Structure formats: structure tokens, C-alpha cells
Amino acid sequence: MSLKAFHILFIALSVLLSIVLSALALYQFTLGGSGLNLVWAVTGIGSAIGLIVYGVRFLRKLRDVSFL
Amino acid sequence: MEIPYTATARPDTGLYNGKLGIWLFLASEVMLFGALFSSYILLRVGAPVWPHGSELLNVPLATINTVVLISSSVTMVMSWASLMMKDFSKYRMYMGFTILLSFVFLVIKYFEYTSKFSHDIFPSTSTFYAIYFTMTGLHGLHVIGGIVVNAYLWGPGNKMWKSDPQRFTNRVEIAGLYWHFVDLVWIFLFPVLYLL
């Protein structure tokens, strides 16, 4: 597995972490948590979207490089 | 005698020597951290009560550290991509940023640790803190190892770029694979210790 493939795997897991973090914060907010939880939730979703956009751009940039 | 496949890939495996070597090394690292994660699960399941990490540890600082490490993996892969595009000055810039971000991670970790020590919290305080200090401490040692390798490739080791650019690019890729592994461990450590 090349660095390109490992990087994509890493970005995918980071996206997953952002979503989990966001879901946890949203859950805390629905339980009566502070507005800060909502900020965390929105930030988590924002970073997940940002990472997906980055991942797609990265794949396009290195499309000629092998995954092996 | 010249050692074959140091720069070019072996036709039957598609891998050059260094890449095969780093993956064997990373396999041993998976076993090391896997054993610690298994210990954590067994200790937690067996404990009558287990504290929530979010109540004992500094989640905002750990979140900043997560962002720092993700950013460092981006700069690391960019340094490798720059070499693929024969742009050595950009390689130096991105590798420099990677080293800088690694130091930022360690400085934040230092503040986190010293805050705990100032409150008389040590590995011997509880099982939770024992596994927390063991896992984050071992991870921190791996970060220091990564800094040493990356600093060598950024500084004295970059002379190889002039004599054997393909082999140097491979070395940076190998260092990048190690660095991504270290970052990946943190991606698992952060939710397990700080959030759950």
C-alpha cells in the first residue's frame, strides 16, 4: 500500500471521527447541554465536509500515482 | 555488489525493499498497540466502575492536538507529492511544517501532562490514569521518533536528492507511512481515552 492509499484511509477515518464527535455533541445538546455542544456539533460536520472535499481533490491531484 | 530493488519496485511484488520493510515494522507496531488497546478493553470491562475520560481529561486540548496531527499528515503527504513533481523547495517547506506541527503536538502534550502532575495525578493514581499515561506516553515516544526521522530527511539526509532522487523520494514515502501510522493510532486513542 502506497502513501497515497494510506493517506486516503487516514482521511476516511478522520471523517468518521469528525462525524462521531459531532453526533456525541449533538446528543449532549439534546439532553439539555449548553450552546457550546451545538458549536462542537456544527464544527464536527464542517470539518467532515472539509476533509471529504480535500480527499477528493487529493485523489484528483495524484491520479497518476499507484495505490500499491 | 549492488543491492537490487532499493529504488525501483521488484516486478513480482510491486514493492521496493524499503516499503516491504516498513510494512513489516508497522505490523509489529500494530501488535504492540493492539496489545495495549486489548488491555484497556479488558481492564475497563472488568472494572466495577470506570470514569468517563471527558470528565477527567482536557478534551479541548486533545481536540486541538487531533487537528494538529491531521494537518501534519496532510503536510507530510504534500512533501512527498512535491518530490514526485520534482519540486525540492516545496518539499523542504512542507516537511518543515510537518516537523513544526509535531513539536506543537508535543508542547500541548507537555502542558496536559504537567497539569495532571501539578494536581498530584500520576500513573499510580488509578487504573484509568495508568493506561492513559502508558498509551499516550508510548504514542508520544513514537512522535519523537518521527521527528528525528523527518528532521534527518529535512536536513542532512536530503543530500541524497542530488545523487539518487528516486531513492530519496522512496525514503520520504516510508517516513510518511510511519507518520501516518502514528497519526492513525492517535485517531483511535482520542475517542477511546478522552470521549468514551
Side-chain angles (χ1 to χ4, degrees):
Chain A
M1 187 193 281
S2 71
L3 183 56
K4 175 188 170 182
F6 203 17
H7 188 64
I8 288 299
L9 175 75
F10 177 75
I11 293 297
L13 284 168
S14 302
V15 169
L16 200 66
L17 177 70
S18 299
I19 292 168
V20 168
L21 197 68
S22 187
L24 274 172
L26 202 62
Y27 178 67
Q28 290 290 327
F29 179 73
T30 54
L31 288 178
S34 67
L36 196 65
N37 291 119
L38 199 60
V39 175
W40 274 103
V42 173
T43 308
I45 289 294
S47 38
I49 293 167
L51 283 167
I52 291 168
V53 171
Y54 162 75
V56 171
R57 285 184 65 180
F58 172 77
L59 272 176
R60 278 187 193 151
K61 194 175 177 183
L62 294 188
R63 62 171 161 255
D64 297 330
V65 179
S66 162
F67 280 99
L68 192 66
Chain B
M1 192 187 88
E2 195 179 319
I3 300 170
Y5 312 119
T6 53
T8 54
R10 197 181 146 113
D12 53 355
T13 61
L15 302 171
Y16 53 87
N17 296 345
K19 197 183 274 187
L20 183 65
I22 193 70
W23 277 112
L24 285 172
F25 172 69
L26 291 182
S28 74
E29 290 282 80
V30 167
M31 287 183 251
L32 173 65
F33 280 101
L36 283 172
F37 274 104
S38 303
S39 304
Y40 167 84
I41 292 166
L42 289 172
L43 286 169
R44 183 164 183 164
V45 169
V49 281
W50 190 265
H52 285 282
S54 57
E55 290 162 10
L56 300 177
L57 304 174
N58 195 327
V59 179
L61 273 187
T63 309
I64 293 168
N65 256 350
T66 307
V67 174
V68 166
L69 278 192
I70 292 173
S71 306
S72 78
S73 77
V74 170
T75 55
M76 184 79 213
V77 85
M78 285 303 166
S79 71
W80 173 63
S82 302
L83 288 181
M84 303 274 279
M85 292 165 196
K86 316 282 181 209
D87 193 338
F88 187 72
S89 57
K90 268 196 176 173
Y91 154 75
R92 288 265 295 175
M93 184 187 75
Y94 282 123
M95 188 57 105
F97 276 131
T98 308
I99 296 164
L100 191 72
L101 288 166
S102 317
F103 276 112
V104 170
F105 176 87
L106 286 180
V107 167
I108 292 174
K109 207 79 213 145
Y110 167 79
F111 283 118
E112 213 183 317
Y113 272 22
T114 48
S115 159
K116 290 280 169 283
F117 296 151
S118 66
H119 290 93
D120 285 330
I121 295 168
F122 299 100
S124 56
T125 304
S126 68
T127 311
F128 173 81
Y129 280 116
I131 199 90
Y132 160 76
F133 280 112
T134 305
M135 293 179 91
T136 56
L138 187 67
H139 178 263
L141 285 176
H142 279 75
V143 171
I144 293 169
I147 290 174
V148 171
V149 173
N150 289 342
Y152 173 75
L153 292 172
W154 181 79
N158 73 34
K159 287 188 189 100
M160 188 184 262
W161 173 249
K162 283 180 184 162
S163 59
D164 196 345
Q166 184 56 49
R167 197 172 170 194
F168 182 68
T169 307
N170 289 349
R171 282 188 171 185
V172 173
E173 184 182 18
I174 289 167
L177 286 169
Y178 170 79
W179 190 249
H180 272 66
F181 174 79
V182 173
D183 294 352
L184 202 62
V185 168
W186 180 259
I187 291 292
F188 284 101
L189 273 181
F190 173 57
V192 164
L193 290 176
Y194 290 83
L195 301 179
L196 298 177

